[in-house]
Amino acid sequence: MNQNNKLNVVIFGSPSSGKSTIIGRFLESYCRVTLKNLKMQGLDSTFLDKKTLCWALNELKSQKERGLEIDQKLWQFKTTNKTFLLMDVIGRSNFISDCIANTINVGIFVIDGTREAFDSEMGVGGLSRVQANLLTLLGVKNVIVLINKMDDETINYSKSYFDDRKSEVINYFDTIGYNTQQIQVLPVSGLTGFNVGKKFQEKEDILQRSRKLNLKNEKENEKENEKEKEKEKEKETQKEKIQVKKNLKIKWWEGPSLFQALDSVNPENYAQYPLRMPVKDIYKISGIGTVAYGRIDYGIINQGKQIIFSPGNIISQVHSVETPRLDYVGYPGCTLGFSVPDLEYSQLQKGMVCGEINNDPPKDVVQFTAQIVVLSTDEVIRPGFEETIFCHQLKIKCKFEQFLEKIDKRNGEIIEQNPNSLKRGDAAVVVVVPERPISVETYASYPKLGKFGISKYNKLILIGIIKSVQTPKGLKKIK
């Protein structure tokens, strides 16, 4: 499969939006989750006898004991043309640290579609608005918005209601700078499964799916007597009949299902970029020598390539690539190691960036200008503020030397020149000076290496994107 068809997906929404139920329905429809492997994860077997898989994902013993959702869950699945790694993160603002550390190709945005909840989430100060703003800064260009709970009695799969909510969503994404052509808005119901997996187009499709699920449940519950099984089958059949009737109400929807929307995403081909690989670890292996380990963000790496490590401008050549691929070539998204036996272990450090010597090599950066947003802190931030930032595999203490402009984060308009302070919710353009030279890039050129954050007291308090960088030889501006 083409490396460009391997994509990372993050699903997010408020805790009550129904995102876990949607994930359960989606994975259940492709047999990626079974009763057997859920039992292995510690799910109470008595609970499985009463509930379906879509409810089971949030009921692991470890979660019930803590009274919390698991911070991050990962699943892999395939569509017709692509392979996806699905990441579910907790429905609060600390999901951003996961997004900064990972390459996110597609964002699935789940919104509670019931009237009161929607108005709250998409209203001024609502959590959905906050997350949409932050996705803009994180560079997630492809977004699929799911208006959930269309089965609710107050909505009853109403086309006019969905059209109104879709218009509100599209208008808001337009105001925060998104290309609305890349925004897909879908009506769904996690509870009934409508429009989540493959489309249910005929009554026979639904009944056939129900029979298959019943057979699986029978194997898991062999000890049940025949009379109880027959009663359960009758109940399931009645439920499917009700679902068929509901599906007749939503024949107006001619758009894609979630499965089809994911399959239609066309990501950017990062293999055509110059090489950029942040170094995560360095090893010294007997008989091989020094090995640099990390994940390729841009470009490809292969044996014999002339490379350079920044900061430090350390030049070497790839002697061998340690990868399971038969062609021994590393592509964007691959995590691998490659040997550079002519370098000493002590010459390389975590947070360095590997690139090509003759194709836009990475440069040492001594200062950069960034656009930031203050997220969650009670402190007032003033010029001279010092804190440790994290960017790709790099963690380094930096000084926020100068505040150039305070801006409106909704439209980028300048509110104040040279502000004296920043507080929670403010956005600004600032000058940042690291304590030593580092290797970062402008967000416009290499988005994955051009975003950063600050975490304090286990909270993400600030996020930013790099607008321009200054090297020892001068200023490198955005093109």
Side-chain angles (χ1 to χ4, degrees):
M1 178 175 288
N2 191 310
Q3 294 295 318
N4 198 39
N5 290 340
K6 295 183 178 181
L7 308 177
N8 292 335
V9 180
V10 61
I11 182 167
F12 61 98
S14 66
S16 60
S17 63
K19 61 189 178 68
S20 294
T21 304
I22 287 175
I23 293 174
R25 283 290 186 189
F26 188 86
L27 298 176
E28 181 184 18
S29 67
Y30 301 110
C31 302
R32 302 303 302 176
V33 178
T34 65
L35 297 176
K36 182 178 179 180
N37 61 38
L38 285 175
K39 285 182 178 179
M40 292 174 65
Q41 295 180 49
L43 192 63
D44 191 342
S45 59
T46 58
F47 181 83
L48 286 174
D49 291 339
K50 300 177 182 179
K51 301 287 184 179
T52 59
L53 291 174
C54 64
W55 295 98
L57 293 171
N58 270 345
E59 294 296 332
L60 298 180
K61 286 183 178 179
S62 60
Q63 295 183 58
K64 290 192 287 184
E65 290 170 359
R66 294 167 57 200
L68 297 169
E69 287 184 278
I70 293 176
D71 282 350
Q72 182 174 314
K73 311 164 191 173
L74 297 171
W75 296 278
Q76 181 170 306
F77 64 93
K78 294 182 179 180
T79 61
T80 307
N81 302 310
K82 299 178 179 70
T83 297
F84 291 92
L85 182 65
L86 177 64
M87 179 172 70
D88 176 24
V89 287
I90 197 165
R92 293 169 179 85
S93 60
N94 63 351
F95 81 97
I96 306 161
S97 58
D98 293 317
C99 295
I100 291 178
N102 293 278
T103 301
I104 305 302
N105 303 106
V106 186
I108 299 178
F109 192 172
V110 183
I111 302 177
D112 186 336
T114 54
R115 297 176 189 276
E116 183 176 349
F118 185 93
D119 293 339
S120 174
E121 291 299 321
M122 288 301 296
V124 177
L127 180 58
S128 294
R129 280 199 175 198
V130 172
Q131 292 180 338
N133 291 341
L134 296 173
L135 276 185
T136 307
L137 292 177
L138 289 169
V140 182
K141 296 181 180 179
N142 296 290
V143 178
I144 300 172
V145 181
L146 305 181
I147 307 298
N148 193 21
K149 305 185 181 181
M150 290 294 293
D151 60 295
D152 188 81
E153 292 181 356
T154 61
I155 303 174
N156 197 26
Y157 300 100
S158 168
K159 181 180 184 300
S160 60
Y161 180 84
F162 169 74
D163 289 340
D164 291 341
R165 296 316 193 195
K166 177 182 177 180
S167 178
E168 290 184 45
V169 170
I170 291 294
N171 289 339
Y172 185 72
F173 273 92
D174 183 53
T175 61
I176 60 177
Y178 259 94
N179 177 3
T180 55
Q181 298 298 320
Q182 294 180 300
I183 306 295
Q184 301 185 68
V185 184
L186 281 60
V188 301
S189 169
L191 186 63
T192 65
F194 161 64
N195 218 27
V196 174
K198 295 178 180 178
K199 269 192 171 180
F200 295 140
Q201 296 179 345
E202 302 291 342
K203 175 179 178 179
E204 288 76 17
D205 295 336
I206 300 175
L207 294 178
Q208 184 178 5
R209 180 175 178 272
S210 176
R211 293 188 192 101
K212 288 181 179 179
L213 291 175
N214 284 335
L215 289 174
K216 290 181 182 179
N217 290 331
E218 286 174 10
K219 292 179 181 179
E220 296 292 333
N221 301 286
E222 293 178 352
K223 295 182 180 181
E224 291 183 357
N225 59 57
E226 293 299 326
K227 290 183 179 180
E228 290 179 346
K229 288 182 181 179
E230 290 178 2
K231 289 181 180 179
E232 289 297 323
K233 285 182 180 179
E234 290 178 3
K235 290 180 181 179
E236 289 297 323
T237 302
Q238 290 299 322
K239 288 180 181 179
E240 295 295 345
K241 288 180 179 179
I242 293 172
Q243 179 60 31
V244 171
K245 292 180 180 179
K246 288 182 177 180
N247 277 328
L248 295 177
K249 297 180 181 180
I250 46 183
K251 280 190 172 181
W252 53 264
W253 177 250
E254 297 180 352
S257 65
L258 175 57
F259 178 88
Q260 294 166 330
L262 286 169
D263 203 39
S264 67
V265 172
N266 294 313
E268 195 170 0
N269 186 3
Y270 294 130
Q272 296 179 355
Y273 278 65
L275 176 65
R276 290 292 187 275
M277 175 179 163
V279 176
K280 183 178 181 180
D281 281 306
I282 306 98
Y283 301 98
K284 187 74 172 181
I285 301 176
S286 177
I288 296 178
T290 303
V291 173
Y293 175 81
R295 185 188 64 213
I296 300 174
D297 284 337
Y298 298 94
I300 62 174
I301 195 165
N302 55 279
Q303 184 177 357
K305 177 163 286 190
Q306 298 290 324
I307 57 173
I308 185 171
F309 291 91
S310 177
N313 295 326
I314 301 171
I315 296 173
S316 184
Q317 181 176 351
V318 177
H319 184 264
S320 64
V321 179
E322 307 301 324
T323 174
R325 292 180 58 89
L326 296 178
D327 56 4
Y328 299 102
V329 176
Y331 293 92
C334 291
T335 300
L336 50 76
F338 60 89
S339 64
V340 281
D342 58 326
L343 298 181
E344 295 296 328
Y345 174 86
S346 59
Q347 289 182 268
L348 302 182
Q349 294 180 353
K350 180 178 179 178
M352 282 184 163
V353 175
C354 174
E356 299 177 57
I357 294 177
N358 299 318
N359 188 7
D360 190 20
K363 300 176 179 63
D364 296 6
V365 173
V366 295
Q367 176 180 303
F368 61 86
T369 303
Q371 179 178 316
I372 65 170
V373 175
V374 182
L375 300 178
S376 57
T377 179
D378 295 327
E379 301 177 14
V380 176
I381 299 175
R382 302 184 187 280
F385 168 73
E386 294 186 359
E387 196 55 73
T388 299
I389 71 167
F390 56 92
C391 177
H392 56 83
Q393 297 296 331
L394 175 69
K395 289 186 179 181
I396 187 169
K397 190 172 184 179
C398 294
K399 180 180 180 180
F400 287 68
E401 192 171 74
Q402 184 181 0
F403 296 171
L404 301 178
E405 301 166 347
K406 183 186 288 188
I407 61 175
D408 188 332
K409 59 186 177 183
R410 294 173 299 179
N411 52 33
E413 293 182 358
I414 299 174
I415 299 175
E416 181 183 353
Q417 294 281 359
N418 300 314
N420 294 322
S421 63
L422 298 173
K423 61 182 184 300
R424 179 188 300 180
D426 285 344
V429 177
V430 301
V431 176
V432 184
V433 180
E435 63 180 2
R436 65 177 186 274
I438 59 176
S439 184
V440 292
E441 300 284 350
T442 62
Y443 182 80
S445 301
Y446 299 90
K448 300 176 190 178
L449 280 71
K451 54 189 179 182
F452 65 92
I454 295 178
S455 181
K456 195 173 183 181
Y457 308 125
N458 295 322
K459 289 184 178 180
L460 191 70
I461 66 170
L462 183 149
I463 187 173
I465 59 173
I466 299 172
K467 307 293 287 184
S468 65
V469 298
Q470 183 178 345
T471 68
K473 294 181 181 180
L475 185 66
K476 177 184 177 183
K477 296 182 178 180
I478 309 173
K479 293 181 179 181

